[in-house]
Amino acid sequence: MKFYQKTWFIWLSLFLLPPLGIFLLWKEKKYSKIPRTLLTLFFTLYFLLGIIPSDGSPPDSPVFNPQETLHQDKGSLSDSDSDSDSDSDSDSDSDSEDSIIGSFPEEDKKDGKKEDNAKGETLEIHYIDVGQADSILIKGPQGHAILIDAGENNDGDFLVNYLKEQGVSKLAAVVATHPHADHIGGMDKVILSIPIEKFYMPKVSPTPTTRTYEDMLEALVAKGLKITQIRSGVKLNIPGITGVFLGPVKSSYDNYNDFSAILKIAYGNTSFLFTGDAESRAEKDLLAKGNIQATVLKVGHHGSNTSTTNEFLKAVSPQYAVIPVGKDNSYGHPHKEILERLAAAGVKIYRTDQSGTIIATSDGKTVKFNTSPSSNTSNPSKPSSSSGSASSTPSKSSAATPKSTSPITKPNPIPATPPAPSSSNVKITNIDLRGEVVTIKNNGSTAVDLTDWKLVSVVGNQEYYFPLGTVIQPGGTLEIHSGKDALEGPGKLIWGKANIWNNSGDPGHLVDNTGKTVSSYP
């Protein structure tokens, strides 16, 4: 008798390698048919339970170390911030290695249950007014706080103060939806100022090479935080509510917006969908994942027509939509067709450019807002005169600020450098979309300081801020390079190593430090 025919070996195989043990059990005809059948069922279940993760998340959902990523990026970081990646048709290759991957941590096993709320607890969602940027505070029914995104670079102090005013002393979770500066700009200040239990972010490619991204990673390293990678199926379990990341669905996209974390949170019979800047391709991928219906939709990409397709809106079927957007922004957000699409679907629309900070409150059965919905679909429109509705649930400090829907009034940024009298003489003379080179020229007779000026790629909602001390001489030219082959040198600045410009057409704006557009091309 060979060793594998022996009873002891078959039993050992059943525990260590059930498929082999089951095969030998039947091949050698050990025991009668009924015991064999029962043993087969038992060890099949034993085997399946061993390979399926207990929290239902993908078995290879990793944690990555921000310090490793930071070291990889150091050599290619520029001193400028790229607010967004592009929808460029040209190829975009990663110029750094993958981060160190570790094991996925065990999640809290407590899920919110879909049941009536007998204790009178409520869930609050604060769509914080940070202008043409995103930041959302979630206050769970049991006192846990979650922050999704952190606005622009100059929003950090404002957000920290807002969180403290809301009684937030610790964040159970922080989500960075994607690495654009209008979503992670103030994240470093938040990380350094408020204790965080867990930090979530999708892993994107190519690895970002902006100063804003580096600042966030350095803050994570300083606080000893690891990054839990977001991908479809990963749970965000907070006592009292149920949260699951529906996206990003895929590991490869053409632009950072489609890598956006898409989070659905349910409380009782109400639900909220947060989409970051996910565009039509990511939305299409999400439609194949099953039920994405939600009571309240955070409209993707500030109401841009790159997002919120008819198919996606039909699948979500929201009663309410919230659009975080800056008043009189240069992109024309929210776009008219998106407003009309939402209105045609019977969705009530709330906008931060009209109402300031918008607070949605759920008791598990219904959702109420602290302000009235938009009265029309025109864009831009005058701010709403309504300070609240009969169903409003005021925030803890709302009584101190009766003229605003936000407990804290965000101060207007003070320009670091006064605008030069000759600023109108600085023009964009060419944008080489495929070569990823923008040329600007000073046609005036005096030098112009470009500190805090920005160059805007309109199609992709992308911004480049000129570094401190950037001066263009009279009659001089300056080139801003981007893409994997970008090189810095005399008269040349680097936007970043990612492709920025959309090859099928992408207007550019040059905006001075007062927010005035001084040149457009073409």
Side-chain angles (χ1 to χ4, degrees):
M1 178 182 289
K2 298 186 181 295
F3 74 91
Y4 58 79
Q5 296 174 316
K6 296 182 178 181
T7 301
W8 68 266
F9 183 82
I10 294 174
W11 274 99
L12 184 64
S13 299
L14 284 170
F15 280 101
L16 299 181
L17 192 58
L20 175 61
I22 292 169
F23 170 75
L24 293 174
L25 187 67
W26 287 87
K27 183 178 183 298
E28 301 303 325
K29 297 183 178 179
K30 295 290 183 180
Y31 311 114
S32 62
K33 191 171 183 179
I34 292 178
R36 267 185 284 157
T37 301
L38 293 174
L39 286 171
T40 299
L41 291 173
F42 175 81
F43 281 102
T44 298
L45 181 61
Y46 168 79
F47 175 69
L48 292 175
L49 289 175
I51 64 172
I52 297 175
S54 60
D55 65 354
S57 61
D60 57 348
S61 296
V63 170
F64 56 101
N65 190 336
Q67 189 164 20
E68 297 292 340
T69 307
L70 184 61
H71 290 334
Q72 292 160 12
D73 296 344
K74 276 287 189 180
S76 58
L77 281 165
S78 67
D79 288 331
S80 60
D81 279 341
S82 168
D83 178 66
S84 176
D85 196 16
S86 71
D87 301 321
S88 178
D89 294 334
S90 56
D91 292 334
S92 179
D93 298 326
S94 175
D95 45 29
S96 66
E97 299 296 327
D98 285 342
S99 304
I100 298 298
I101 302 296
S103 60
F104 187 75
E106 184 179 359
E107 295 281 4
D108 187 347
K109 298 295 187 292
K110 297 180 181 178
D111 287 341
K113 298 183 183 297
K114 189 173 182 179
E115 58 187 15
D116 289 343
N117 178 17
K119 297 181 180 180
E121 297 170 336
T122 59
L123 170 71
E124 285 187 12
I125 313 290
H126 296 231
Y127 301 86
I128 305 171
D129 181 17
V130 284
Q132 186 67 15
D134 266 26
S135 186
I136 299 168
L137 170 65
I138 300 171
K139 297 176 69 176
Q142 298 182 23
H144 299 80
I146 305 166
L147 184 69
I148 304 176
D149 290 332
E152 273 281 9
N153 285 281
N154 59 359
D155 292 323
D157 291 333
F158 164 73
L159 287 172
V160 169
N161 289 334
Y162 187 97
L163 294 174
K164 291 180 178 179
E165 286 287 328
Q166 289 298 313
V168 176
S169 59
K170 179 174 67 174
L171 288 162
V174 171
V175 178
T177 60
H178 64 296
H180 285 161
D182 59 332
H183 290 253
I184 64 167
M187 193 66 79
D188 55 331
K189 289 286 183 69
V190 172
I191 293 168
L192 295 172
S193 303
I194 298 177
I196 296 169
E197 292 183 7
K198 188 168 288 188
F199 191 91
Y200 294 84
M201 185 173 69
K203 190 175 183 183
V204 302
S205 178
T207 303
T209 58
T210 65
R211 184 63 58 191
T212 297
Y213 186 70
E214 181 196 30
D215 289 344
M216 182 184 70
L217 293 183
E218 288 180 343
L220 289 170
V221 171
K223 289 296 183 178
L225 289 167
K226 298 290 182 69
I227 301 171
T228 299
Q229 182 178 340
I230 297 171
R231 52 178 60 173
S232 181
V234 172
K235 288 186 177 181
L236 178 69
N237 288 317
I238 302 297
I241 61 176
T242 300
V244 63
F245 290 101
L246 305 180
V249 175
K250 297 181 178 179
S251 59
S252 177
Y253 286 104
D254 293 334
N255 68 81
Y256 289 151
N257 286 339
D258 282 334
F259 279 102
S260 287
I262 301 174
L263 174 64
K264 181 176 179 179
I265 284 181
Y267 179 52
N269 293 317
T270 62
S271 53
F272 298 78
L273 190 63
F274 307 93
T275 58
D277 278 353
E279 299 184 1
S280 57
R281 180 179 172 185
E283 291 179 352
K284 183 178 180 181
D285 292 337
L286 197 62
L287 292 176
K289 298 300 289 184
N291 180 23
I292 59 172
Q293 191 279 328
T295 312
V296 183
L297 169 67
K298 199 289 293 187
V299 176
H301 204 183
H302 315 285
S304 169
N305 57 15
T306 61
S307 309
T308 319
T309 63
N310 278 311
E311 295 78 9
F312 181 76
L313 182 59
K314 183 178 180 181
V316 178
S317 187
Q319 297 178 40
Y320 311 99
V322 180
I323 308 177
V325 64
K327 184 180 179 182
D328 300 329
N329 65 86
S330 61
Y331 310 109
H333 294 162
H335 286 147
K336 181 180 179 182
E337 56 263 49
I338 301 303
L339 294 173
E340 292 176 346
R341 187 172 299 162
L342 290 166
V347 181
K348 293 181 180 179
I349 304 169
Y350 295 82
R351 295 166 47 171
T352 59
D353 63 331
Q354 293 184 350
S355 301
T357 293
I358 295 165
I359 304 174
T361 305
S362 168
D363 61 2
K365 298 177 182 178
T366 59
V367 178
K368 297 180 180 180
F369 290 81
N370 68 325
T371 187
S372 300
S374 300
S375 57
N376 58 65
T377 59
S378 62
N379 180 50
S381 63
K382 295 180 180 179
S384 171
S385 60
S386 173
S387 60
S389 66
S391 60
S392 171
T393 303
S395 63
K396 292 181 180 178
S397 57
S398 60
T401 53
K403 295 183 180 180
S404 173
T405 59
S406 172
I408 299 175
T409 302
K410 181 181 176 183
N412 293 323
I414 300 174
T417 307
S422 55
S423 63
S424 60
N425 292 318
V426 181
K427 304 292 184 183
I428 302 174
T429 59
N430 186 57
I431 299 179
D432 182 351
L433 299 176
R434 292 194 176 276
E436 295 279 332
V437 179
V438 179
T439 305
I440 63 174
K441 183 177 181 180
N442 182 2
N443 295 316
S445 58
T446 58
V448 178
D449 188 347
L450 302 181
T451 297
D452 287 338
W453 286 38
K454 65 181 178 181
L455 178 63
V456 179
S457 163
V458 174
V459 171
N461 184 20
Q462 306 154 83
E463 298 177 351
Y464 166 82
Y465 285 87
F466 288 85
L468 180 68
T470 302
V471 176
I472 185 168
Q473 298 298 328
T477 60
L478 186 62
E479 294 180 350
I480 298 90
H481 291 246
S482 51
K484 62 180 180 178
D485 297 325
L487 294 174
E488 195 169 20
K492 298 179 180 179
L493 296 171
I494 296 181
W495 185 320
K497 289 292 185 179
N499 291 318
I500 300 298
W501 300 94
N502 189 321
N503 293 345
S504 61
D506 194 350
H509 294 328
L510 186 62
V511 182
D512 68 16
N513 59 350
T514 68
K516 176 185 177 182
T517 300
V518 297
S519 178
S520 297
Y521 186 95

